[in-house]
Amino acid sequence: MSEQYQARIPIYPRSVKGRFRNLKWAVLALAYGVFFLLPWLRWERAFGPDQAVLFDIPGRRFYLFDLLVHPQDIFWLAAVLIILALLLFMVTGLAGRVFCGYFCFQTLWTDVFMAIERAIQGDRGARMRLDRSGWTAGRLLKKGATHAVWLGVAFLTGLTFTLYWADAPALAAAFFTGQAPFAAYATTGLLTLTTWLLAGVLREQVCTYMCPYARFQSVMFDRDTLIISYDRDRGEGTAGRATLRGGGRDLAARREGGVGDCIDCDYCVQVCPVGIDIRDGLQYQCIHCALCVDACDAVMDRLKWPRGLVRYTSEHALAGQRTRLLKPKTLGYGVPLLLITLLLAWGVAHQAPLDASVSQVRQPLFVRLSDGSIQNSYEIKVNNKTQYPMTLEVRVSGLDGAVLDMGRIEQVTLMPEHRTTLLARVRYQAPPGAARQQALVFELVPVMPEGLDPVLVGSQFILR
Amino acid sequence: MNEPGHEQQSAPGKPGEVETTGHVWDGDLREYNNPLPRWWLWSFYATVVFSLIYWLLYPAWPIAGTYTKGVAWINYEVEGEPQRSHWNSRALLLRDMQTGDAAVRQREFLQVIAEADHDTVLSDTDMLAFVNSYARGIFGDFCAACHQTGGAGIIGLYPNLADDNWHWGGTIQAIEQTITRGRMGYMPPYRETFDDQQADAVAAYVLSLAGHEGGDPEQVSLGGAIFQGYEGGCYACHGREGLGLKSQGAPNLTNDIWQNIDVTGAQSHAERQALVRDLILRGVQREMPAFGDRLSPAEIRVLATYVHQLGGGL
Ligand code: SF4
Ligand code: SF4
């Protein structure tokens, strides 16, 4: 009977230098720059906050530079999510887990936390020694300092996230004087805790045990997908891999003797942040971070042997076949992706300046008035989605002789971003024999500012 | 994914050998051991502890007709009286409706509207929008049982508030008074006064006032004489022209709106005449209760504004 539960096997990733590591640092710098600085970017607007990106939940609108997103634009969100999903599927089908390896928050924040750990406790060997040593003052100090810096970064992360939901300078000032709303403290606190936990403590376990994407990625892989792989034929030869001492340093001699090019130095294993051996083949834990490629390339460079024993390749390429990138699958993801993107762009470009709906009052549907005419009532909801005040007139058309009665309301002035509900009564002296149901159109005509198209909303008039 | 590799992180045991739990069924079925991380187990225990605490604090378990109430409590008020009960979402809602941000803002705006004059309210789209949504709730609670949702009323029982015809006046002031003090509408029965012929004649005259052609001209002129003369005296309340008298709640007879009998629904003139005649003979007595002690002046104000707007008219 074996163990049903497993304690975590600690991983001590070793640092590595190389082109993919540099690329990853560049992506990280860009992502951090955007995330941490964006809330502080000011933006000029005629109405509304002067913050470039602001998610105003109480006001129910999102400010994205010059774009204003309203709850009615929820379809945009749907489109964005579909675009992201399709993009993810397509990229993963073509190039494997590039999202995991280069862009995922988990990877980015874990990278930073590992860098902090390395700066304080030293590289792999030093950290392993430290963990084996007793609880000395030095160890306590180093561990404590690591967690303190981690918590600091985690706090900045949480606070920055919170700043996106309110005026950043004001909220930051209120935050440190104890005057911010409870939600701000709660959000920051929760994110500080989870960032520290996920990037500092749990790390690769998030990818292996929690992340659903890590698991369904395999569905999108095929034999043409770009993967990080060990070139087994080259590395193992016919007689298997051998260390430099066992197989010699001369490449030609090794190959002569059937010995593979892998010198079994274990560098690729030591740098792996998820603690696997890439030479065992493609594994679900692998986040395609490409650090083992950098590691092996470094080893090969030092030996002056050709690079690429561990490299980006595909299963077809490894088997000596051609890698096909333009396939029905790529088109199947690519065409809908293009369509949805165009649709979204069209929707954003054609955002209506106002939003109107008309619903007929149903109880009662119609009433007979003193003069013998029939009256129907309607509820008109209008929402000014622009950034300037707008004055509207309501008119009816499509039913000859119908008279609109809005009481004393002649024109409606809506402040930017303001909405209101109007009660409109329509009277109609029906000619004998008129059909029970008549079509009617409400026209919401902007009179100020001029030049805006009227919004037409169809409705009906019920006679009996 | 075609190369199996190790199925789990650092599987114990020799390479190529898969660890099993040791369970064997049917001689050869074995269960692979892919151990869960231990912290996962601890997380599970943590959720168990969470629910225990939750059960202790909040209502949780049904027990024969009642339930465990938990030790957490909530304070709120009912009609100014402080109340305290075990935590429950109904009390939370009550408290929110009394002291929640939205409730406070709503009360403030209600007060602004109640203090503004009628013209201001009727010309302000924001105030009207508030009136229409706020008063609809009050109307639903206090008025709709009789006047029906939307105020359509029921012929013969409760007047229609959605048309432009008002017995007691359709200005906001008049409606406020109606709501605050209630109304008593009374038309005496003429069973003792009129014989059948006279009642028929008055009915024919009244229908002609409302524009219904087809009455016997002789009956109409006889009816007119009774209506305008000492015998019937109908003009005293309904007026010489039949336009009604709002101070008495006497309806206008010159339009085709009928609150007590379904004249417009009748198929023939004879049927209409019979309906009116029967009404004259039996009279009308209706009462609307006063709401002055059940609604605040501010509530009555918005309610009256709402009702005024339903159909228009004065
Ligand atoms: S096997 Fe290589 S690419 Fe995969 S996670 Fe480990 S180091 Fe990164
Ligand atoms: S780094 Fe390269 S040479 Fe060293 S063990 Fe890994 S695959 Fe072999």
Side-chain angles (χ1 to χ4, degrees), chain B residues 93-298:
Chain B
L93 177 67
L94 262 178
R95 192 177 66 183
D96 240 28
M97 287 171 60
Q98 287 156 352
T99 52
D101 281 353
V104 169
R105 249 179 301 145
Q106 192 181 51
R107 267 200 299 277
E108 283 169 4
F109 200 44
L110 179 66
Q111 212 46 50
V112 170
I113 291 175
E115 281 159 20
D117 63 87
H118 297 155
D119 287 342
T120 313
V121 177
L122 287 175
S123 324
D124 184 319
T125 49
D126 281 345
M127 287 189 177
L128 279 183
F130 179 88
V131 162
N132 286 333
S133 90
Y134 187 82
R136 189 173 300 161
I138 310 179
F139 192 88
D141 288 347
F142 292 92
C143 318
C146 294
H147 290 289
Q148 311 295 299
T149 312
I154 300 175
I155 289 182
L157 293 172
Y158 312 110
N160 186 340
L161 305 176
D163 57 24
D164 62 346
N165 181 55
W166 300 91
H167 290 187
W168 300 93
T171 60
I172 297 180
Q173 290 94 327
I175 298 171
E176 271 187 303
Q177 201 169 40
T178 304
I179 299 170
T180 313
R181 302 226 219 108
R183 296 291 190 188
M184 287 275 269
Y186 180 65
M187 171 173 132
Y190 282 82
R191 209 178 289 113
E192 311 291 316
T193 323
F194 294 161
D195 59 22
D196 274 1
Q197 202 199 344
Q198 289 171 309
D200 263 337
V202 177
Y205 177 70
V206 167
L207 281 172
S208 76
L209 282 179
H212 284 284
E213 313 283 336
D216 174 7
E218 251 172 64
Q219 276 192 341
V220 171
S221 75
L222 173 62
I226 300 171
F227 188 97
Q228 306 288 1
Y230 177 70
E231 235 181 323
C234 313
Y235 69 88
C237 292
H238 289 291
R240 288 277 173 210
E241 272 104 54
L243 290 169
L245 189 60
K246 299 228 157 75
S247 63
Q248 298 300 309
N252 183 342
L253 300 176
T254 63
N255 59 33
D256 200 15
I257 294 178
W258 305 84
Q259 300 285 4
N260 289 292
I261 42 179
D262 190 12
V263 170
T264 40
Q267 300 302 320
S268 65
H269 195 271
E271 212 178 302
R272 286 191 274 273
Q273 197 173 350
L275 282 169
V276 179
R277 186 199 52 214
D278 290 350
L279 182 82
I280 294 170
L281 292 178
R282 76 169 181 267
V284 180
Q285 181 162 12
R286 296 211 293 197
E287 183 185 349
M288 158 148 165
F291 284 87
D293 50 354
R294 278 182 272 178
L295 295 170
S296 73

Side-chain angles (χ1 to χ4, degrees), chain A residues 2 6 205 315 408 425, chain B residues 2 19 38-39 119 309:
Chain A
S2 51
Q6 189 181 50
Q205 302 183 89
E315 294 194 334
R408 268 172 235 202
R425 297 182 295 251
Chain B
N2 300 291
E19 207 206 352
R38 177 154 282 125
W39 57 262
D119 287 342
Q309 278 200 99

Side-chain angles (χ1 to χ4, degrees), chain A residues 4-46:
Chain A
Q4 306 280 303
Y5 300 103
Q6 189 181 50
R8 182 184 177 206
I9 296 147
I11 298 170
Y12 301 90
R14 187 164 157 187
S15 67
V16 59
K17 288 195 176 69
R19 47 195 172 129
F20 292 110
R21 180 66 271 182
N22 290 342
L23 180 60
K24 282 160 66 69
W25 283 134
V27 172
L28 192 140
L30 186 69
Y32 266 48
V34 171
F35 175 74
F36 284 101
L37 298 180
L38 202 51
W40 301 96
L41 185 63
R42 302 292 95 186
W43 202 254
E44 200 132 334
R45 283 191 186 92

